[in-house]
Amino acid sequence: MIDLQRIAALIPGQWERVIATVLLLAAGFVVSQLWAHYLGRGDVPAERRRLHLVWARNIIGSIVLFTIVSVWASTIAGFALSLAAVAGAMLIVSKELLLCVLGYVYLTFVRPFKFGDVIEIGSVHGRVIDIDMLATTLAEHGDTGLPTGKTAAFPNALLLTLPLKNTSSTGDFVLHFLRIPVPVAFARDLARIEAAATEAAIEATKAWQAQAEAHFRQVADESFVELPSGRIRVFWDFADAERLLLCVRLACPEKMRLQVGQDIFKATWQALAVCSPLDTCH
């Protein structure tokens, strides 16, 4: 362990630095609170206000941290040899902490996602509402894509070890895959079911279909990546012997995915309702 007697002997001669450290921490806290109060009084949208608050807090925290380290630099250097005795244990304890910091550096330079994006990493899925040096916090989304009212945080170290999905990477429009289970008993009338799903998808997306296709072409040109056109595609997944899956791929605004999926699902099953698995559809 660190020589506590040596620390006690050194602190009485370091009161100026102790006072400076306390003042720096207090100043950082006050500036953060004043900035939050200033943003709360303005007419800035809530999402943009949250973004400004997060980045301002991170910048203020970094400045305060580096300034405190500078104030105590000579003292820290004086304890370097004393820390050698616990270096092995500290390395084990600080491994995850170091990985979190490296994950934040990776996030800062690579930018796999930004504030407000909807991401999925491991079992966590939701919209990014906070990013700091150690962790990222999400407003959790359920299986339906709607917010659950809960928040989920994951350490930034996971960015270095787990694959990340960013469902907002294409901007205003996203590609949505809808899977509708169809009993095998209805296999005799696949063409009718497919036509009903296609018609429902066209009706649900007609307000923005042309705009979505132009958007995907623009994103592909700007990012030099070949992206799907955004046109509606309907196809079948027959991997399961007990049921068929009717798959519909379409482009829609990210916040409209649930509503569009519900509309297409209901219209397709309305078509199935007039069919009997024992009789031919009419």
Side-chain angles (χ1 to χ4, degrees):
M1 297 180 60
I2 301 175
D3 191 348
L4 298 180
Q5 293 181 349
R6 184 177 178 184
I7 295 176
L10 286 174
I11 287 181
Q14 306 289 340
W15 289 116
E16 297 86 352
R17 294 178 179 178
V18 173
I19 294 173
T21 300
V22 173
L23 292 177
L24 284 169
L25 293 173
F29 177 77
V30 170
V31 172
S32 297
Q33 293 300 314
L34 289 176
W35 182 250
H37 182 68
Y38 169 76
L39 290 176
R41 296 180 58 186
D43 296 329
V44 182
E47 185 172 341
R48 185 177 296 274
R49 184 162 62 243
R50 180 69 178 176
L51 173 63
H52 290 172
L53 179 62
V54 169
W55 284 108
R57 188 185 63 195
N58 289 342
I59 292 173
I60 293 171
S62 299
I63 293 175
V64 170
L65 175 63
F66 285 119
T67 304
I68 291 175
V69 171
S70 300
V71 169
W72 290 92
S74 60
T75 304
I76 293 173
F79 282 106
L81 294 178
S82 300
L83 294 175
V86 293
M90 288 296 294
L91 180 61
I92 296 175
V93 172
S94 62
K95 177 183 177 182
E96 293 298 328
L97 180 64
L98 178 60
L99 288 176
C100 288
V101 175
L102 291 177
Y104 182 76
V105 173
Y106 165 80
L107 174 60
T108 301
F109 287 97
V110 179
R111 303 284 292 173
F113 61 85
K114 62 183 183 298
F115 182 88
D117 283 354
V118 177
I119 66 171
E120 181 178 348
I121 181 169
S123 60
V124 182
H125 176 218
R127 185 177 300 276
V128 179
I129 60 173
D130 194 6
I131 303 172
D132 58 36
M133 190 171 293
L134 299 180
T136 298
T137 304
L138 310 179
E140 186 183 51
H141 285 190
D143 295 335
T144 61
L146 292 177
T148 63
K150 303 176 183 178
T151 60
F154 65 88
N156 291 333
L158 295 183
L159 296 173
L160 304 175
T161 58
L162 293 180
L164 171 76
K165 296 180 182 180
N166 186 342
T167 59
S168 303
S169 59
T170 53
D172 295 335
F173 293 93
V174 298
L175 283 175
H176 179 43
F177 287 84
L178 176 66
R179 294 173 174 83
I180 303 175
V182 177
V184 176
F186 290 94
R188 70 181 66 183
D189 206 41
L190 297 185
R192 181 185 179 94
I193 299 170
E194 184 175 331
T198 302
E199 182 180 353
I202 293 174
E203 180 66 23
T205 61
K206 64 181 181 180
W208 61 74
Q209 183 61 42
Q211 183 182 356
E213 292 183 19
H215 174 77
F216 277 101
R217 286 195 298 269
Q218 179 181 357
V219 173
D221 292 339
E222 292 177 352
S223 60
F224 305 103
V225 175
E226 184 177 356
L227 294 175
S229 64
R231 297 174 183 171
I232 296 171
R233 284 199 59 193
V234 179
F235 52 94
W236 292 93
D237 181 353
F238 44 84
D240 190 341
E242 298 297 328
R243 65 177 182 177
L244 300 172
L245 283 177
L246 176 64
C247 303
V248 183
R249 190 197 73 184
L250 52 88
C252 68
E254 194 275 329
K255 295 182 179 180
M256 293 290 294
R257 290 187 303 164
L258 179 63
Q259 183 61 48
V260 169
Q262 291 288 312
D263 292 342
I264 297 174
F265 182 84
K266 287 186 289 187
T268 304
W269 273 97
Q270 284 174 358
L272 285 176
V274 300
C275 300
S276 168
L278 300 177
D279 302 316
T280 304
C281 295
H282 300 287

